[in-house]
Amino acid sequence: MARGEGTPADAFERKLYVVRRLVEKSVSRSAIPGRGHFYVASLSHRTIVYKGMLNADQLAAFYPDLRDEG
């Protein structure tokens, strides 16, 4: 999905939220095996969500872009 010319950022963010909710509801109502484990962490054009079960000292190995270069 592309934002397209003339679409305000807030309107696009709302559309992405609605799409995420529709997909989550569709999957939960489906017969897909493992549907209870389905989850969309984010569908935002503004925010990147890093999700994982890591300790703080493990982050740098998995997400080198989070390193402080300053």
Side-chain angles (χ1 to χ4, degrees):
M1 172 181 268
R3 180 169 150 189
E5 282 188 49
T7 303
D10 289 340
F12 186 57
E13 192 72 19
R14 283 190 296 274
K15 284 181 183 182
L16 289 173
Y17 172 78
V18 170
V19 168
R20 180 179 65 85
R21 293 295 294 142
L22 289 172
V23 169
E24 288 175 340
K25 287 181 180 185
S26 294
V27 170
S28 71
R29 294 176 182 153
S30 74
I32 297 172
R35 66 187 174 275
H37 300 287
F38 181 82
Y39 176 76
V40 179
S42 175
L43 206 69
S44 173
H45 78 285
R46 296 179 180 150
T47 306
I48 297 173
V49 175
Y50 292 94
K51 187 168 177 134
M53 294 181 66
L54 303 168
N55 292 324
D57 60 332
Q58 296 174 307
L59 285 175
F62 286 94
Y63 303 110
D65 54 320
L66 296 178
R67 292 187 186 138
D68 183 11
E69 296 182 19

